[in-house]
Amino acid sequence: MMYSFEKRVDRSNSNCIKWDTVKELYGCEEVIPMWIADMDFEIEPSIVKAIQERLEHSVLGYTFTPNSYYDAVISWFKKRFDWNVEKEWIKFSPGVVPGVNSIIAAYTKPGDEVILQTPVYHPFYKLVKNNGCQVIENPLIYDGEKYDMDFENLESIITDRTRMIILCSPHNPVGRVWTKDELKKLGDICIKHNVLIVSDEIHADIIYKPYKHTVFSSISDEFAENSIICTAPNKTFNIAGLQTANIIIKNEKLRKEFDIQLDKHCVHEPNVFGAIAQEAAYSNGEEWYNGLMEYLTENLKFTIDFFEKRIPKIKLVKPEGTYLLWLDCTNLNMNASDLKDFFVKKCKVGFNDGSMFGIKGEMFQRMNIATSREIIKDALERIEREVNKL
Ligand SMILES: Cc1ncc(COP(=O)(O)O)c(C=O)c1O
């Protein structure tokens, strides 16, 4: 392998949210941060080269996304997901979160209802509320091993104020890669009740074998006309700091309404380095990406094995995708606040608290394994020591 994911990269003193805020967040410098969803790996070399080359032209004025940018995006999705995207459908956004915000603003009125399947990526709550809408929760069903969508409940909570459902696919934090059948069921319910599907597919590339990601709108033309797909290279290529994403809308009417909203939010030109990095990643990044998936797969195996053999009181909900693991801590017999203190103050490990992801998240922690195995081992050994003392 050309790239070493094993290398321990020192990210301190780089204004890094994960590593440079440890003291501020946890009150103690020894905590290992394993929360926010970025990776501790150096980026793919051709991205660095493309940015360096652009920088040699030392004028950084307003820029636009050239045809080669669209070609790179289109061929990545075709090759990876057999999804046919046309250039006109692709709308640049400075991130998936700002994109989802503009989507909610474009298609809802204050008081409308937006469905979230919880526990789910927490900023969705804020985006819905900030737009004056109401979050309606359709909690996922957990059988102690795996999460499923509750289709029956979903159908029962839809009202004439329900405008959209935000689908997290793959699902952060529970790690599900929704199957085509599940997506079909969901899509049929939404079409029957005229509910728009906003599918956040930012984690689509981080899938473990043998699972397979299905782009929601690739299922049928009817689904494509009733959905918006939110994508970005940010997770796959670890370039979240460049704030670059693509919101993909086939339906022409929805696209026009979204354009009006982007204009209202003054989202016009991309960041010069974001667009260049994205084009380089999607054009040249496949080998690096394959190496990344090999490394993450080994990290996952190592972590599953460690919990099973050495910390069986904590149950890892086996993920099908994403580098974010969902740890069921019910058997530690603590309340939510003690659980948080246990990991931070005793184990000195900084996970995301499950309660931030909504209903039924209280007894869980979210662990990011996109880091060197040495760091994972250190964190797991700290947890093992403290669990053994309980
Ligand atoms: C499901 C999901 N959507 C969106 C984002 C953030 O996207 P962006 O940085 O492009 O706004 C994340 C980051 O963790 C995420 O997990």
Side-chain angles (χ1 to χ4, degrees), residues 6 94 109 176 263 281 301:
E6 195 63 56
K109 293 189 296 302
R176 277 300 316 279
D263 195 46
K301 278 191 197 146

Side-chain angles (χ1 to χ4, degrees), residues 352-388:
N352 284 94
D353 227 4
S355 52
M356 72 168 55
F357 302 95
I359 290 186
K360 297 188 182 166
E362 301 81 14
M363 286 303 117
F364 293 77
Q365 296 277 304
R366 194 190 74 172
M367 173 185 188
N368 180 343
I369 54 159
T371 189
S372 74
R373 209 155 305 138
E374 188 192 344
I375 291 179
I376 296 177
K377 186 166 176 282
D378 185 0
L380 293 174
E381 283 171 353
R382 291 177 188 206
I383 299 169
E384 180 188 31
R385 264 194 306 275
E386 294 305 321
V387 169
N388 285 344

Side-chain angles (χ1 to χ4, degrees), residues 37 95-98 121 124 168 172 200 202-203 232 234-235 240 244-245 324:
V96 164
V97 169
Y121 180 57
F124 292 160
C168 198
N172 168 16
D200 177 342
I202 197 167
H203 295 280
N234 300 345
K235 303 293 154 200
T244 168
L324 306 164

